[in-house]
């Protein structure tokens, strides 16, 4: 409806019933050109999982509308292609693309439980790298989607035995995905989700500097300076030359000091003593009938003791 994404059928397909479904692996012939006719991509058999955002959004959205054997022309705004970043060196920033696409085939995606260790690692890494692409494009929602898919692949049950090296590599990919997921969630101010992602990393690797740093940042954003400071100190201890951690820690220490000053002033006002810091407190205009609080406290205690004793005596009688 916005006119930013248009599809024109060049060669009709085999009917609406032959359209592929989300989650299937589809194969297409692709030719992508700029407005001046320059070809920037050509692939006779590009295969990807439909709906996983593994490719340009323009392609992922429109292939769902193609019939088997159909050839279509897709005219897309930069928003659904490479956006404001472009793709060095052949796609300029904010460049619209024209895609000529033919749907060649569609099949159900492989069963994750039957993937070998190598296949699972390759698939998870492809999803993670796609997430990295979206992160660089500042599209953090799609980045989170790709990292979540990668983690789903890694966490899926398996009917195949993996070698210790494959297990270690899968864990490494998982930690990278969780760290990148936390970074994306932090960009969207999803603090609780980011904190959870950081904690999952630290369960596997307690000394992971990125996770410690991001956890400290999340806590700082929530105003939890007292908790954030020791975490950033732990990260700095692991990497003393890290200027970014130095800067963040210095900023938090100052904010924490300011926060304590504000709290001190607030408590002073709550206790009915709003004097400026450093000014000695003097009780002026003291009423002649005022009773010292210590004397009052003692008298109250004696009275309560007498009542209690009376109750005990009454109970015995």
């Amino acid at each position: 409806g916005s006119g930013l994404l248009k599809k024109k059928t060049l060669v009709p397909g085999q009917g609406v019933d032959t359209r592929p479904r989300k989650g299937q692996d589809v194969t297409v012939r692709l030719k992508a050109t700029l407005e001046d006719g320059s070809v920037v991509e050509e692939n006779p058999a590009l295969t990807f999982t439909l709906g996983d955002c593994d490719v340009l959004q323009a392609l992922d959205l429109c292939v769902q509308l193609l019939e088997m054997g159909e050839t279509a022309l897709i005219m897309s705004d930069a928003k659904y292609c490479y956006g404001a970043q472009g793709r060095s060196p052949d796609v300029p920033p904010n460049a619209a693309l024209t895609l000529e696409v033919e749907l060649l085939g569609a099949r159900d995606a492989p069963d994750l439980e039957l993937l070998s260790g190598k296949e699972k690692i390759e698939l998870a890494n492809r999803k993670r790298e796609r997430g990295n692409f979206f992160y660089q494009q500042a599209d953090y929602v799609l980045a989170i989607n790709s990292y979540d898919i990668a983690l789903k692949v890694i966490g899926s049950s398996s009917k195949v035995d993996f070698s210790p090296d494959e297990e270690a590599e899968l864990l490494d990919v998982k930690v990278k995905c969780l760290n990148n997921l936390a970074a994306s969630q932090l960009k969207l101010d999803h603090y609780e989700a980011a904190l959870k992602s950081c904690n999952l990393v630290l369960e596997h690797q307690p000394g992971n500097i990125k996770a410690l740093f991001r956890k400290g940042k999340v806590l700082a954003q929530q105003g939890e300076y007292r908790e954030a400071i020791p975490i950033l100190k732990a990260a700095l201890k692991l990497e003393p030359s890290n200027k970014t951690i130095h800067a963040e820690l210095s900023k938090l220490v100052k904010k924490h000091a300011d926060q304590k000053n504000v709290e001190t002033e607030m408590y002073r006002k709550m206790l009915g003593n709003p004097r400026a810091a450093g000014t000695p407190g003097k009780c002026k205009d003291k009423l002649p009938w005022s009773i010292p609080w210590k004397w009052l406290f003692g008298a109250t205690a004696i009275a309560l003791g007498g009542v209690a004793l009376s109750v005990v005596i009454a109970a015995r009688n």
Side-chain angles (χ1 to χ4, degrees), residues 1-6 58 74-81 96-97:
S2 65
L4 300 180
L5 190 61
K6 300 176 183 179
I74 299 167
M75 290 148 282
S76 173
D77 182 79
K79 176 181 178 181
Y80 300 106
C81 296
L97 288 180

Side-chain angles (χ1 to χ4, degrees), residues 15-312:
V16 175
D17 293 342
T18 64
R19 287 179 176 175
R21 302 185 308 275
K22 282 186 177 181
Q24 286 189 312
D25 283 350
V26 296
T27 301
V28 301
R29 176 182 63 80
L30 172 67
K31 182 180 179 182
T33 58
L34 296 172
E35 289 179 316
D36 63 3
S38 304
V39 178
V40 294
E41 190 168 348
E42 201 161 8
N43 194 323
L46 173 65
T47 299
F48 59 94
T49 304
L50 192 60
D52 277 10
C53 297
D54 290 342
V55 290
L56 297 178
Q57 275 188 279
L59 189 59
D60 201 40
L61 291 169
C62 289
V63 167
Q64 299 177 42
L65 304 176
L66 293 183
E67 300 170 6
M68 193 61 61
E70 179 181 352
T71 299
L73 208 59
I74 299 167
M75 290 148 282
S76 173
D77 182 79
K79 176 181 178 181
Y80 300 106
C81 296
Y82 293 101
Q85 304 291 329
R87 186 187 71 181
S88 181
D90 52 356
V91 180
N94 299 308
L97 288 180
T98 298
L99 312 175
E100 184 179 308
V101 186
E102 180 185 1
L103 180 58
L104 302 175
R107 64 181 185 277
D108 291 339
D111 189 341
L112 295 179
E113 290 187 340
L114 301 178
L115 293 179
S116 67
K118 183 179 178 181
E119 289 171 332
K120 185 170 277 195
I121 291 165
E122 288 176 352
L123 179 58
N125 265 324
R126 281 203 305 273
K127 305 299 183 182
R128 178 181 64 83
E129 288 165 4
R130 192 62 188 168
N132 293 348
F133 166 79
F134 287 124
Y135 186 89
Q136 291 163 4
Q137 297 286 327
D139 196 332
Y140 305 116
V141 172
L142 289 180
I144 287 172
N145 178 67
S146 293
Y147 295 136
D148 278 338
I149 293 171
L151 289 168
K152 181 183 175 183
V153 171
I154 295 167
S156 61
S157 58
S158 180
K159 296 178 180 177
V160 181
D161 293 330
F162 300 153
S163 70
D165 287 344
E166 289 171 336
E167 292 281 5
E169 196 168 348
L170 277 170
L171 178 59
D172 182 60
V173 178
K174 180 180 180 179
V175 166
K176 288 178 180 176
C177 286
L178 285 169
N179 259 329
N180 295 348
L181 181 61
S184 302
Q185 291 163 334
L186 196 52
K187 290 287 188 181
L188 295 174
D189 298 337
H190 295 171
Y191 299 131
E192 290 301 326
L195 191 60
K196 182 180 178 181
S197 298
C198 291
N199 285 333
L200 286 171
V201 173
L202 295 172
E203 283 180 14
H204 297 294
Q205 297 179 358
N208 189 288
I209 294 173
K210 286 184 178 179
L212 287 170
F213 176 69
R214 287 182 182 134
K215 182 175 181 178
K217 285 199 69 171
V218 170
L219 291 171
Q221 291 288 349
Q222 293 178 316
E224 302 291 344
Y225 303 130
R226 186 176 299 174
E227 293 182 36
I229 288 171
I231 291 172
L232 288 179
K233 283 182 176 178
L236 192 60
K237 187 176 180 181
L238 292 168
E239 196 172 306
S241 60
N242 192 308
K243 294 181 180 179
T244 305
I245 301 176
H246 262 293
E248 188 69 22
L249 185 57
S250 298
K251 185 170 66 176
L252 285 194
V253 169
K254 184 180 183 305
K255 283 185 176 181
H256 189 219
D258 293 342
Q259 184 187 57
K260 286 196 293 186
N261 289 337
V262 170
E263 287 176 354
T264 301
E265 186 63 25
M266 180 182 68
Y267 294 146
R268 185 177 291 121
K269 290 179 179 179
M270 287 172 63
L271 294 172
N273 188 13
R275 67 178 185 274
T279 303
K282 295 183 180 179
C283 185
K284 296 184 179 180
D285 300 324
K286 187 173 180 180
L287 295 176
W289 47 267
S290 61
I291 302 173
W293 68 270
K294 290 183 180 179
W295 187 92
L296 182 62
F297 178 81
T300 304
I302 291 170
L304 290 174
V307 172
L309 183 59
S310 299
V311 171
V312 171

